[in-house]
């Protein structure tokens, strides 16, 4: 590590001394005694030695964490940890990963630093950006050619190496939110905890000159998708089946969709800090959560027998974890598979997804109709996730059904969102489904999102509450509406023959044949907020290929749904057995009373 600058009077400690003091503080307050003992044992068993210095190498870390070679992410992880090991003096990176440096790495990667430094995820996000970034020194080396620094070479070089790259996203042009001269708050907090704030140095290159190579970020995203469901002390090798054949291709496609949220790879080779800070809080708040269990492997030594007590008696074995024996996804849908499930966990807590989702409705199995949708979904009394996939229809539409659908919509004024023909959208709904007659339902935690070809999450407005509408005939326009004004029954029929679409909205027609997603950026948003990165008007009209609804919850929710289905079946059976028209009015009345259809003040035809 580099030697710190001291003041003229020489009273200030060096950066090496401060790093040592911070490592001790982290070790005492962020690890339990048993975790620290395990960490020491793991480091000792893995370390190489040179001139009495113990350190970890890249292949050692990759092998210990079981990072698959096929992902090509080992060098990227090593670049990250070599930077984080220098914390809080990033300008000294990359560092040799000795014992104290690895304490810094594990504390940051598992977010245990929050026990000492009361800072939020945004600070860690910036720190992770710096650990992944390369720096543009092109203004100082004008003779350098960009092609000399291909992406596959960048991942093996130190973060401070010379770089040159093209301009980034257009959203960087007007970005001046303090990132350029923003201090690294987490580093400042660390020094403040040591009463050494005056030692903070501004020797690191400006973050505005940094970018993450797109190829590197894609490899990292593939790893993050793979480790998203990882449990405490769970081996990553258990998920090796996701790295072969169609699963691997699906992993790559999903990573491409996620990468598209950050950068247009055709126009820019790298992701800038403004894009990183803009996209992650909105669309990927849990993107790096998988690092927590992955790096906690350093805190569990296989050489220590945790079943032994001091009196040499054997401790009772821990109760079996039945969840670990359950599959991450009980059944694969036409849209939802393990890769898409991991993608969802980047913005929905994984604890509500992995081993928790149940397929309630699939159009391919139950039929594409609102009736079958209502039968399968309405009895679920827990959050649900709706997914719809399809292919864009041509403009102007060619077939008769396509033209009929387009005639119901206002004239198309916006272009398609991109070149890809396949689109996937979805909705997360915490309330249970119901038919709407006059107004929409849903809460402010309702999410409208796109998964393909660009991942993006549209959060609900707290003012406009036109979140979800499920309308059946005789409503003028029946179907599923998300972010659209409620199509009131009959009264709109004489005013307009067109469906009223919201500024940011998704609509599926009543036959579940066609859908339309609208992003009217110019209008300023509606029930769902505008995109923060795609600052343009666009509309995708598509033919529905697959539609499915997944219930979030465990056995209790499933049992509640089963009981409601059983009750409805008994009611239906009671109605079928009522034998009316026999001439025996009293017998007919008795049967209706037994079925609970009449009685008290009820009339013969009333269910209320």
């Amino acid at each position: 590590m580099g030697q710190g600058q001291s003041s003229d009077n020489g009273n200030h400690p060096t950066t090496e001394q401060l790093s040592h003091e911070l490592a001790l503080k982290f070790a005492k307050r962020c690890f339990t005694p048993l975790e620290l003992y395990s960490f020491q044992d793991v480091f000792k068993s893995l370390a190489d030695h040179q001139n009495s210095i113990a350190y970890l190498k890249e292949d050692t870390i990759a092998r210990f964490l079981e990072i698959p070679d096929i992902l090509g992410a080992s060098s990227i992880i090593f670049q990250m940890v070599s930077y984080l090991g220098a914390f809080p003096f990033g300008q000294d990176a990359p560092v040799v990963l000795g014992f104290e440096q690895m304490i810094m790495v594990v504390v940051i990667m598992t977010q245990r630093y929050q026990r000492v430094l009361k800072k939020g995820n945004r600070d860690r996000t910036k720190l992770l950006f710096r650990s992944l970034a390369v720096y543009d020194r092109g203004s100082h080396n004008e003779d350098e050619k960009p092609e000399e620094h291909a992406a596959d070479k960048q991942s093996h070089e130190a973060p401070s190496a010379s770089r040159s790259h093209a301009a980034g996203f257009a959203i960087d042009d007007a970005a001046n939110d303090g990132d350029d001269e923003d201090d690294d708050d987490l580093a400042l907090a660390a020094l403040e905890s040591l009463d050494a704030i005056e030692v903070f140095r501004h020797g690191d290159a400006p973050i505005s000159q940094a970018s993450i190579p797109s190829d590197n970020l894609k490899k990292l995203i593939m790893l993050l998708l793979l480790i998203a469901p990882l449990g405490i002390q769970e081996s990553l090798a258990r998920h090796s089946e996701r790295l072969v054949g169609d699963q691997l291709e699906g992993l790559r496609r999903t990573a491409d969709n996620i990468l598209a949220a950050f950068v247009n790879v055709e126009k820019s080779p790298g992701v800038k800090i403004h894009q990183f800070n803009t996209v992650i809080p909105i669309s990927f708040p849990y993107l790096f959560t998988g690092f927590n269990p992955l790096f906690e492997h350093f805190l569990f030594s296989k050489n220590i027998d945790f079943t032994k007590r001091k009196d040499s008696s054997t401790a009772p074995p821990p109760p079996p974890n039945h969840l670990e024996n359950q599959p991450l996804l009980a059944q694969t849908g036409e849209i939802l598979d393990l890769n898409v499930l991991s993608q969802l966990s980047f913005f929905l807590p994984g604890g509500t997804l992995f081993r928790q989702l149940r397929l309630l409705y699939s159009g391919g199995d139950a039929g594409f109709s609102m009736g079958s949708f209502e039968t399968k979904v309405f009895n679920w009394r827990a959050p649900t996730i709706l997914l719809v996939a399809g292919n864009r229809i041509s403009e102007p539409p060619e077939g008769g059904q396509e033209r009929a659908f387009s005639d119901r919509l206002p004239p198309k004024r916006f272009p398609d969102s991109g070149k890809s023909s396949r689109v996937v959208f979805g909705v997360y709904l915490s309330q249970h489904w119901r038919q709407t007659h006059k107004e929409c339902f849903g809460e402010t935690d309702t999410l409208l999102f796109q998964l393909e070809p660009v991942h993006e999450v549209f959060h609900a407005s707290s003012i406009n509450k036109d979140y979800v509408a499920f309308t059946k005939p005789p409503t003028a326009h029946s179907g599923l509406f998300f972010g659209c004004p409620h199509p009131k029954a009959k009264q709109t029929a004489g005013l307009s023959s067109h469906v009223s679409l919201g500024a940011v909205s998704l609509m599926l027609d009543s036959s579940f044949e066609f859908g339309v997603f609208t992003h009217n950026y110019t209008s300023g948003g509606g029930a769902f907020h505008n995109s923060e990165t795609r600052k343009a008007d666009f509309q995708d009209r598509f033919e529905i290929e697959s539609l499915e609804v997944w219930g979030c919850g465990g056995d209790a929710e499933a049992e509640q749904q089963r009981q409601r289905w059983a009750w409805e079946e008994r009611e239906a059976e009671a109605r079928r057995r009522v034998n009316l028209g026999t001439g025996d009015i009293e017998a007919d009345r008795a049967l209706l009373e037994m079925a609970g259809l009449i009685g008290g003040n009820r009339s013969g035809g009333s269910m209320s």
Side-chain angles (χ1 to χ4, degrees):
M1 292 179 60
Q3 194 73 10
Q5 297 176 349
S6 60
S7 65
D8 293 338
N9 59 20
N11 291 330
H12 292 313
T14 66
T15 57
E16 288 182 346
Q17 292 169 333
L18 288 172
S19 296
H20 173 73
E21 187 176 344
L22 185 61
L24 289 177
K25 192 170 188 175
F26 278 158
K28 290 179 180 178
R29 296 182 58 180
C30 299
F31 301 148
T32 66
L34 185 57
E35 287 173 338
L36 182 58
Y37 183 78
S38 296
F39 179 70
Q40 291 172 323
D41 188 72
V42 169
F43 181 85
K44 181 180 178 181
S45 66
L46 296 176
D48 283 86
H49 296 80
Q50 183 175 348
N51 297 331
S52 73
I53 298 176
Y55 66 98
L56 300 188
K57 298 191 299 185
E58 176 182 330
D59 60 339
T60 302
I61 293 175
R63 185 174 65 253
F64 177 73
L65 297 179
E66 301 178 307
I67 298 175
D69 293 337
I70 196 170
L71 297 182
S74 298
S75 59
I76 300 168
I77 293 296
F78 189 71
Q79 175 184 321
M80 292 183 71
V81 298
S82 297
Y83 180 90
L84 297 177
F87 181 81
F89 303 107
Q91 62 271 23
D92 292 338
V95 295
V96 175
L97 293 172
F99 181 74
E100 292 182 358
Q101 289 73 31
M102 285 304 299
I103 288 178
M104 302 292 189
V105 169
V106 174
V107 165
I108 292 170
M109 283 298 210
T110 61
Q111 293 184 286
R112 290 169 178 246
Y113 67 86
Q114 293 176 337
R115 301 177 186 180
V116 176
L117 312 177
K118 307 300 182 184
K119 290 291 179 179
N121 289 331
R122 181 178 173 86
D123 301 312
R124 180 177 181 248
T125 299
K126 181 183 293 185
L127 191 63
L128 294 180
F129 176 87
R130 282 195 180 274
S131 74
L132 289 163
V134 296
Y135 288 85
D136 182 4
R137 313 280 188 177
S139 58
H140 303 290
N141 298 284
E142 295 180 357
D143 294 334
E144 281 191 340
K145 296 180 180 180
E147 57 267 24
E148 294 176 358
H149 301 283
D152 58 338
K153 293 182 180 179
Q154 290 174 340
S155 63
H156 296 280
E157 297 173 337
S160 59
S162 178
R163 302 285 192 272
S164 178
H165 64 76
F169 261 158
I171 62 171
D172 286 322
D173 297 342
N176 188 17
D177 58 353
D179 287 327
D180 289 351
E181 45 188 77
D182 203 6
D183 287 329
D184 291 295
D185 295 336
L186 213 53
L188 284 170
L191 292 172
E192 187 176 2
S193 72
L194 299 174
D195 294 325
I197 195 70
E198 69 280 357
V199 183
F200 182 77
R201 295 183 295 165
H202 296 272
D204 221 351
I207 202 169
S208 60
Q209 296 180 8
S211 65
I212 304 174
S214 300
D215 187 54
N216 286 8
L217 186 55
K218 178 180 175 179
K219 293 175 182 176
L220 182 66
I221 289 170
M222 291 177 66
L223 176 62
L224 291 170
L225 286 166
L226 188 65
I227 67 176
L230 208 62
I232 299 298
Q233 299 307 325
E234 183 180 358
S235 170
L236 189 55
R238 290 186 58 183
H239 303 284
S240 59
E241 75 280 354
R242 297 177 61 184
L243 298 173
V244 295
D246 293 341
Q247 284 270 28
L248 179 59
E249 288 305 310
L251 188 67
R252 292 195 176 103
R253 286 195 304 270
T254 305
D256 282 330
N257 298 332
I258 294 171
L259 180 63
F262 293 96
V263 64
N264 184 337
V265 294
E266 295 180 356
K267 297 182 179 180
S268 175
V271 178
K272 307 288 282 185
I273 181 61
H274 181 65
Q275 296 160 259
F276 208 66
N277 275 344
T278 300
V279 171
I280 286 181
I282 295 174
S283 294
F284 303 101
Y286 309 115
L287 179 65
F288 300 113
T289 300
F291 279 147
N292 294 32
L294 183 67
F295 278 82
E296 282 193 355
H297 280 73
F298 282 102
L299 304 179
F300 184 86
S301 173
K302 296 180 180 179
N303 298 325
I304 300 175
D305 188 353
F306 292 92
T307 64
K308 296 293 184 180
R309 294 178 177 175
K310 291 183 179 180
D311 59 1
S312 298
S313 62
T314 303
N321 189 344
H322 298 293
L323 285 180
E324 288 187 359
N325 297 324
Q326 295 179 8
L328 295 173
L329 187 60
Q331 64 182 112
T332 300
E334 295 180 6
I335 305 173
L336 186 65
D337 57 15
L338 290 178
N339 295 320
V340 175
L341 182 61
S342 292
Q343 183 180 3
L344 292 175
S345 75
F346 289 165
F347 63 94
L348 296 172
T352 64
L353 300 177
F354 298 113
R355 303 181 177 90
Q356 296 291 316
L357 293 189
R358 299 170 184 269
L359 182 60
L360 304 179
Y361 166 81
S362 172
D365 296 332
F368 290 89
S369 73
M370 296 189 73
S372 58
F373 184 102
E374 181 177 358
T375 301
K376 297 288 186 179
V377 176
F378 275 35
N379 286 328
W380 187 259
R381 293 297 190 263
T384 52
I385 298 171
L386 176 144
L387 299 174
V388 58
N391 294 287
R392 286 197 189 96
I393 60 178
S394 59
E395 183 63 32
E398 297 177 352
Q401 291 178 318
E402 292 181 8
R403 285 195 297 270
F405 172 69
S406 295
D407 289 344
R408 294 181 56 202
L409 306 177
K412 185 172 182 180
R413 299 182 290 120
F414 304 144
D416 295 340
S417 63
K419 298 178 182 179
S420 174
S421 61
R422 178 175 164 83
V423 292
V424 179
F425 299 98
V427 176
Y428 169 81
L429 183 64
S430 62
Q431 286 190 316
H432 65 268
W433 287 80
R434 62 178 181 269
Q435 186 172 345
T436 58
H437 300 284
K438 295 183 179 180
E439 59 185 21
C440 299
F441 67 96
E443 296 289 349
T444 53
D445 60 355
T446 305
L447 298 175
L448 176 62
F449 54 87
Q450 182 174 9
L451 299 181
E452 189 177 342
V454 178
H455 177 113
E456 184 155 12
V457 179
F458 305 91
H459 291 260
S461 165
S462 59
I463 300 174
N464 184 331
K465 298 188 176 182
D466 293 333
Y467 303 134
V468 183
F470 182 98
T471 61
K472 298 170 68 175
T475 306
H477 299 294
S478 55
L480 291 184
F481 300 84
F482 308 96
C484 301
H486 191 283
K488 304 275 191 313
K490 291 187 176 180
Q491 57 185 339
T492 59
L495 299 177
S496 173
S497 60
H498 293 150
V499 176
S500 181
L501 301 176
V504 180
S505 62
L506 173 68
M507 190 276 282
L508 311 181
D509 70 353
S510 59
S511 64
F512 293 164
E513 290 184 89
F514 299 100
V516 55
F517 179 85
T518 302
H519 182 258
N520 186 348
Y521 183 82
T522 305
S523 70
F528 296 96
H529 294 298
N530 273 332
S531 169
E532 290 291 333
T533 55
R534 292 184 286 176
K535 299 183 177 182
D537 300 332
F538 58 85
Q539 186 180 82
D540 291 325
R541 302 181 179 189
F542 57 95
E543 183 177 8
I544 296 174
E545 180 183 86
S546 305
L547 177 63
E548 51 197 43
V549 179
W550 296 81
C552 306
D555 295 336
E557 289 80 3
E559 176 60 22
Q560 188 176 14
Q561 185 194 45
R562 188 196 64 78
Q563 291 177 359
R564 292 188 65 87
W565 275 342
W567 180 84
E568 290 183 353
E569 179 61 29
R570 290 195 299 271
E571 290 294 297
E573 182 64 22
R575 293 187 184 95
R576 286 193 294 269
R577 294 192 179 197
V578 173
N579 184 16
L580 298 178
T582 61
D584 190 342
I585 297 177
E586 292 301 320
D588 291 343
R589 176 174 293 275
L591 287 172
L592 291 171
E593 288 178 345
M594 291 174 61
L597 301 180
I598 65 172
N601 296 324
R602 295 178 181 176
S603 61
S606 175
M607 288 285 291
S608 58

